[in-house]
Amino acid sequence: MRKILCFLMGLAAMGSQAATPADTLTIAMVGDVMMGTTFPSRMLPENEGRDLFRDAAAVLRRADLTVGNLEGTLCDGGQSTKGTGPNSYSFRTPTSFAPRLKEVGFDYMSMANNHANDFGQVGIESTERCLREQGILFSGIEGRVESTTIERMGKKIGICAFGHNSYTLKHTDLKVVGRIVDDLVSRCDLVIVSFHGGAEGRSKNHLPQGSETFLGENRGSLRQLAHFCIDHGADVVYGHGPHVLRATEVYKGRFIAYSLGNFCTPYNVSLTGISGYAPLLEIKIDPQTGAFLSGQIHPFIQTRGIGPRADKSGAVIREMKQLTESDVPQSQAAISTTGAITLKK
């Protein structure tokens, strides 16, 4: 009887154009990606970067949706907006490296960060052109692409990004954040928010209460921001900016990563100690409701000129577990010693 029922169900499925909805949507998310730079000197990985994501590629590709933060520009010319000295942190990745992002499965890259304008309008336009050519979505620069949408599993997913710089859509302006998130919620089934915020450096791994200031800038009150977005209907919020990883949280059944740190920044970014920790978070959400179901931390550590390589020491998972337990003890989810993220009973 069971075989007959399965046969009849198979016929029905073949006769229908609509696929049966799957019970999970998998999202892979990482922090800062800057594959190499030609400024102020040529600092590029071997083989045009084809080996950078070697250890992480399988997880990045298998997700239904893969997102990250493009820390810098994809361009071949232009003038630096940050000076020309040896300590200038202007990032100019050759346009020939753009296919590396598509090859490993990136669907969306945030541009709302403090390096998107490193080469002014020339760099922004070149970066947008490169991402479009690869079929990779983006958003986050004020007056340009405010938000974007993608369809997965029959669901329309809205994505937006916010930063702390004058040329980005600013996360410190909750009126702007609310307007954009509300718009996406009104016309999408699921909404993902990216933000670049927080003070920078190895001493900034703990998530503070209230606003953060760095180099005289308001870098945001990130707990408030993340909760504000979810209160307005967002389903996933992921952050980057401090160059170190921070805690995660499940709030009102929705997932938050407060900072995913550096993921693939092989040159001109400090990779010493915890700055080299490069987590890749793979989470599963309910595609019908957006509720968090489960997750897994895939741990990597960066080496200069090499990119993220598998962390077999357990250090990355320990760091994220300890930060979550100390900084967000009220989270509705817990992290195990193997990196599994599960809802608390």
Side-chain angles (χ1 to χ4, degrees):
M1 184 65 185
R2 183 177 178 183
K3 290 183 179 180
I4 295 173
L5 180 60
C6 289
F7 175 74
L8 292 174
M9 290 174 66
L11 289 177
M14 286 189 291
S16 171
Q17 294 299 313
T20 302
D23 58 359
T24 62
L25 176 77
T26 303
I27 303 171
M29 60 186 76
V30 300
D32 296 350
V33 174
M34 191 284 292
M35 297 176 285
T37 182
T38 59
F39 188 91
S41 61
R42 189 176 179 86
M43 292 174 278
L44 298 173
E46 296 180 354
N47 199 21
E48 286 200 311
R50 289 181 176 84
D51 303 318
L52 284 173
F53 300 101
R54 184 186 67 196
D55 286 15
V59 178
L60 293 170
R61 289 180 185 136
R62 77 188 183 196
D64 297 309
L65 182 67
T66 299
V67 299
N69 173 59
L70 186 61
E71 185 83 338
T73 62
L74 293 165
C75 67
D76 299 315
Q79 296 294 316
S80 169
T81 61
K82 296 180 176 176
T84 59
N87 295 320
S88 173
Y89 293 100
S90 291
F91 299 144
R92 185 174 63 188
T93 303
T95 57
S96 61
F97 276 58
R100 305 294 88 81
L101 299 173
K102 188 62 177 178
E103 288 163 5
V104 295
F106 281 103
D107 299 296
Y108 171 87
M109 298 298 286
S110 166
M111 289 181 62
N113 59 65
N114 56 317
H115 288 283
N117 193 47
D118 280 358
F119 290 85
Q121 194 75 1
V122 169
I124 289 173
E125 291 177 356
S126 177
T127 301
E128 290 180 346
R129 182 173 61 253
C130 287
L131 292 175
R132 284 195 180 101
E133 288 172 353
Q134 299 303 317
I136 298 172
L137 300 172
F138 57 88
S139 66
I141 303 298
E142 186 177 23
R144 300 187 71 82
V145 180
E146 191 167 84
S147 64
T148 189
T149 62
I150 190 170
E151 186 170 309
R152 289 290 185 272
M153 297 168 54
K155 298 295 181 183
K156 187 176 182 181
I157 304 171
I159 313 176
C160 56
F162 303 99
H164 55 77
N165 296 88
S166 59
Y167 54 83
T168 66
L169 294 162
K170 297 186 76 171
H171 58 63
T172 53
D173 188 339
L174 293 183
K175 288 185 178 179
V176 170
V177 175
R179 176 180 61 78
I180 294 172
V181 173
D182 288 348
D183 171 65
L184 287 177
V185 169
S186 72
R187 57 192 178 90
C188 298
D189 300 297
L190 301 166
V191 173
I192 299 172
V193 177
S194 168
F195 69 83
H196 200 71
E200 299 179 24
R202 288 189 292 277
S203 66
K204 307 301 182 182
N205 57 336
H206 283 284
L207 178 69
Q209 299 285 349
S211 295
E212 300 181 60
T213 301
F214 187 71
L215 298 179
E217 287 183 314
N218 179 2
R219 294 293 182 92
S221 177
L222 303 182
R223 294 176 193 258
Q224 179 191 17
L225 171 68
H227 289 186
F228 177 88
C229 291
I230 289 173
D231 290 343
H232 276 248
D235 300 293
V236 176
V237 179
Y238 74 99
H240 30 81
H243 294 293
V244 287
L245 61 84
R246 286 182 168 182
T248 66
E249 181 180 13
V250 172
Y251 166 76
K252 293 186 176 179
R254 303 301 189 270
F255 185 80
I256 302 166
Y258 284 102
S259 175
L260 294 172
N262 303 317
F263 182 67
C264 184
T265 53
Y267 295 102
N268 235 21
V269 174
S270 174
L271 302 178
T272 303
I274 61 174
S275 297
Y277 291 3
L280 189 173
L281 264 59
E282 185 180 35
I283 67 168
K284 295 183 183 299
I285 66 172
D286 186 325
Q288 311 304 319
T289 67
F292 172 79
L293 299 174
S294 64
Q296 179 65 46
I297 302 168
H298 297 277
F300 301 90
I301 293 178
Q302 289 202 72
T303 301
R304 177 179 166 82
I306 302 297
R309 292 295 178 260
D311 169 31
K312 298 178 181 179
S313 72
V316 175
I317 291 173
R318 282 196 302 272
E319 175 78 358
M320 189 164 277
K321 175 178 168 63
Q322 290 168 0
L323 290 172
T324 296
E325 291 172 352
S326 66
D327 296 354
V328 197
Q330 73 275 15
S331 175
Q332 295 171 345
I335 299 174
S336 75
T337 56
T338 61
I341 310 173
T342 57
L343 290 168
K344 294 176 180 176
K345 296 181 179 178

